[in-house]
Amino acid sequence: MTDTDGRSRLLYWAGVALGPLAWGINLQGIYALAHFSCETTRTSGAIMSAALAIIALLGTAISARAVRRRAGAEWADAQGGGPSTFMAWLGVGSGVLFALVIANQLAASLMISPCLR
């Protein structure tokens, strides 16, 4: 396995890794900023959530690019494309799912006052 094979394998895992990682950072960040956003403005949490949603979608785009790179492999391979194609499609779905979860948390944090306890 060469270095380029290792890098191309990381492309398949990008959506699987970046989506949950961005969501976890967003969830913990919103909890950490809740006390401070009550005293000041709520824009810091909104900016953080928007940036992390973009990161989750970036993982989706990277995994989708990996799928397009091996577009005809599932027809040429007797086993249907192998595990790398499955991981790329899983990355696309998981990246979109976690971006939607982050957007849902963003909408909730904008509508509900953090000062309610």
Side-chain angles (χ1 to χ4, degrees):
M1 178 174 78
T2 64
D3 188 34
T4 57
D5 290 337
R7 286 184 190 159
S8 67
R9 285 185 183 177
L10 289 177
L11 293 177
Y12 296 106
W13 283 86
V16 176
L18 287 178
L21 182 67
W23 170 72
I25 292 170
N26 183 56
L27 183 66
Q28 293 302 315
I30 286 176
Y31 283 139
L33 293 175
H35 177 69
F36 301 111
S37 60
C38 181
E39 298 169 0
T40 61
T41 181
R42 290 188 266 179
T43 59
S44 60
I47 292 170
M48 180 188 65
S49 293
L52 289 169
I54 290 170
I55 289 174
L57 289 175
L58 179 68
T60 300
I62 293 171
S63 290
R65 183 174 177 222
V67 167
R68 276 186 266 129
R69 182 181 292 179
R70 290 184 45 120
E74 58 268 3
W75 299 107
D77 190 4
Q79 296 178 353
S84 60
T85 306
F86 171 74
M87 288 310 296
W89 278 114
L90 186 66
V92 169
S94 132
V96 169
L97 177 69
F98 281 105
L100 289 173
V101 169
I102 293 170
N104 188 22
Q105 289 175 338
L106 171 64
S109 70
L110 290 176
M111 287 190 270
I112 300 170
S113 173
C115 300
L116 297 175
R117 293 182 194 207

